[in-house]
């Protein structure tokens, strides 16, 4: 990237020597609406100023419904990719921003479908090389990226950063309880006490069985007679009726889907990046599962990078400085997907 400085959203810029900046002019941005499941997904195609056809990365969104925040990884990576000769597509998640749909009614399968349909649609673009299309995402988007690559033949590779690779129940337990402990709501002894009830609650969501929900609801109400409700799960009807919970409902409603089994058939190139100290995604268990399922599938074209002193976001937990994970991604793409184009 030379003297160019990465930005939260393009263009890149570099100092001009006079206390100002020169903006990057190595790519253009085109707004596109793509049909998916009868809806229109709005996105922005970052195209390098090259004459030949470009590789393409479809960028997926993080968890939640704040259209700007959940695109932070995408908005950061798109100009970096485009500067290095790789087209990038950033889109608003279904039901957020300028994309159509009802967010509360979505599940991960909808996001997977949208990412896949974006790849299929853009494979016909005159500037895109259809043989070099991949999907990339962070956090929730990391899991979406890998499963989309598994389901769509048009997608040739995947890159995930902090994308969980454990069961939905294990994923939710790890994130929920660590989040409550880090917020000071739970101490270690109380966590041990309430963990079984939280697990029963998540398993009821996983079962998608109203009878299982009713059993857990009864237990939750009994526990509230003895313990502060702030350390306990909410009933499913509270989750579905209290407005503050709309942000997590798509995640909870995605719990019946088994995404781990699909990985047993995954045979595409994959770079999986994790932070060693991630408190949202269980890194050690995810790495173990990747190795297990890639052994089952016979896939040897995968790489795992565990970055020390990095948590869920790419920030050094000691220095509080950004971790330059994008260097790793671009160099991996050059070595494994594209060949020698522009490197960082």
């Amino acid at each position: 990237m030379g003297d160019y400085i990465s930005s939260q959203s393009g263009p890149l810029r570099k100092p001009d020597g006079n206390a100002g900046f020169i903006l990057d002019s190595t790519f253009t941005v085109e707004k596109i609406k793509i049909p998916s499941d009868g809806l229109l997904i709005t996105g922005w195609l970052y195209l390098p100023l090259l004459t030949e056809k470009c590789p393409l990365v479809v960028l997926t969104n993080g968890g939640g419904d704040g259209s700007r925040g959940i695109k932070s990884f995408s908005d950061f990576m798109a100009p970096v990719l485009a500067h290095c000769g790789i087209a990038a597509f950033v889109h608003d998640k279904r039901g957020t921003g300028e994309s159509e749909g009802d967010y509360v009614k979505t599940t991960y399968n909808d996001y997977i479908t949208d990412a896949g349909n974006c790849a299929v649609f853009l494979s016909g673009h005159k500037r895109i090389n259809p043989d070099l299309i991949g999907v990339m995402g962070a956090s929730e988007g990391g899991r979406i990226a890998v499963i989309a690559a598994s389901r769509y033949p048009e997608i040739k590779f995947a890159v995930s950063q902090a994308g969980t690779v454990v069961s939905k129940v294990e994923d939710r337990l790890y994130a929920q309880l660590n989040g409550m402990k880090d917020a000071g709501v739970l101490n270690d002894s109380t966590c041990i006490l309430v963990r079984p009830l939280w697990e029963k609650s998540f398993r009821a969501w996983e079962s998608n069985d109203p009878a299982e929900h009713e059993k857990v609801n009864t237990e939750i109400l009994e526990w509230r007679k003895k313990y502060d409700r702030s350390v306990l799960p909410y009933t499913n009807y509270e989750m579905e009726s209290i407005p503050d919970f709309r942000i997590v409902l798509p995640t909870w409603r995605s719990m019946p889907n088994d995404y781990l089994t699909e990985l047993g058939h995954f045979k595409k190139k994959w770079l999986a990046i994790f932070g060693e100290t991630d408190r949202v995604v269980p890194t050690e268990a995810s790495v173990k599962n990747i190795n297990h399922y890639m052994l089952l599938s016979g896939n040897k074209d995968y790489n795992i990078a565990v970055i020390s002193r990095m948590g869920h976001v790419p920030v050094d937990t000691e220095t509080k400085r950004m971790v330059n994970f994008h260097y790793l991604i671009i160099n991996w793409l050059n070595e494994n997907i594209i060949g020698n184009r522009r490197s960082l």
Side-chain angles (χ1 to χ4, degrees):
M1 286 172 60
D3 295 326
Y4 281 103
I5 302 169
S6 53
S7 172
Q8 188 57 57
S9 59
L12 307 184
R13 58 184 186 167
K14 65 179 178 180
D16 64 4
N18 296 308
F21 291 93
I22 299 172
L23 298 181
D24 186 9
S25 59
T26 59
F27 60 88
T28 61
V29 181
E30 174 187 0
K31 187 175 181 178
I32 298 176
K33 292 184 180 290
I34 295 177
S36 181
D37 263 4
L39 301 170
L40 288 176
I41 301 300
T42 300
W44 295 264
L45 179 62
Y46 289 64
L47 271 175
L49 296 177
L50 301 172
T51 56
E52 69 267 26
K53 289 190 172 186
C54 304
L56 169 71
V57 170
V58 174
L59 291 149
T60 53
N61 293 278
D65 65 347
S67 60
R68 186 175 184 275
I70 63 178
K71 294 201 305 288
S72 60
F73 176 84
S74 300
D75 286 339
F76 176 85
M77 283 304 305
V80 172
L81 290 163
H83 178 86
C84 295
I86 304 164
F89 186 69
V90 178
H91 67 281
D92 282 334
K93 182 192 288 189
R94 185 185 297 202
T96 74
E98 297 184 42
S99 288
E100 296 178 346
D102 185 343
Y103 169 78
V104 177
K105 295 180 180 178
T106 63
T107 69
Y108 283 8
N109 280 338
D110 296 316
Y111 313 148
I112 293 164
T113 296
D114 293 340
N117 285 337
C118 288
V120 172
F121 182 91
L122 292 170
S123 67
H125 194 286
K126 64 182 180 180
R127 289 288 317 284
I128 300 301
N129 184 337
D131 296 323
L132 294 175
I133 295 178
V135 183
M136 181 188 302
S139 192
E140 175 187 292
R143 168 165 270 180
I144 301 303
V146 176
I147 301 303
S150 176
R151 293 182 184 180
Y152 286 82
E154 291 82 2
I155 301 173
K156 311 301 182 185
F157 63 91
V159 177
S160 60
Q161 190 259 310
T164 187
V165 189
V166 296
S167 72
K168 290 297 295 179
V169 170
E170 184 178 356
D171 172 62
R172 287 299 87 206
L173 272 175
Y174 186 88
Q176 183 71 39
L177 297 180
N178 278 341
M180 293 172 70
K181 286 196 286 187
D182 293 346
V185 175
L186 275 182
N187 57 37
D188 289 345
S189 58
T190 306
C191 182
I192 293 171
L193 181 70
V194 301
R195 180 187 174 95
L197 184 61
W198 275 99
E199 182 170 352
K200 288 181 181 179
S201 175
F202 286 132
R203 292 206 179 280
W205 282 96
E206 182 185 44
S207 73
N208 200 28
D209 183 346
E212 291 301 314
H213 274 302
E214 281 304 313
K215 290 180 186 177
V216 177
N217 289 346
T218 299
E219 285 196 57
I220 291 171
L221 296 176
E222 283 299 313
W223 276 62
R224 286 180 184 173
K225 296 176 182 178
K226 299 180 181 179
Y227 302 102
D228 190 326
R229 64 187 298 159
S230 68
V231 303
L232 303 175
Y234 283 81
T235 64
N236 71 306
Y237 52 82
E238 290 170 332
M239 291 287 296
E240 292 172 341
S241 61
I242 298 175
D244 286 350
F245 292 134
R246 74 183 303 275
I247 191 173
V248 300
L249 279 179
T251 298
W252 263 243
R253 288 173 177 161
S254 298
M255 293 189 68
N257 302 320
D258 177 14
Y259 298 117
L260 280 180
T261 300
E262 288 192 57
L263 292 181
H265 308 285
F266 188 83
K267 295 186 177 181
K268 295 178 181 178
K269 293 185 177 181
W270 178 12
L271 171 62
I273 303 170
F274 296 97
E276 185 180 35
T277 59
D278 198 328
R279 298 279 289 170
V280 178
V281 166
T283 292
E284 185 176 352
S286 292
V287 169
K288 182 178 179 180
N289 280 338
I290 291 174
N291 286 323
H292 170 72
Y293 285 102
M294 293 306 95
L295 181 63
L296 286 181
S297 71
N299 185 9
K300 297 181 180 180
D301 286 330
Y302 73 99
N303 299 94
I304 302 172
V306 178
I307 301 176
S308 62
R309 303 206 318 254
M310 188 175 92
H312 193 62
V313 296
V315 173
D316 188 302
T317 54
E318 292 184 12
T319 67
K320 309 306 179 185
R321 296 173 66 92
M322 176 182 167
V323 175
N324 291 323
F325 67 97
H326 52 301
Y327 282 51
L328 171 63
I329 291 173
I330 295 296
N331 290 331
W332 182 86
L333 290 172
N334 278 332
E335 292 174 11
N336 294 274
I337 306 299
I338 301 160
N340 246 341
R341 298 179 75 90
R342 303 181 189 182
S343 59
L344 292 182

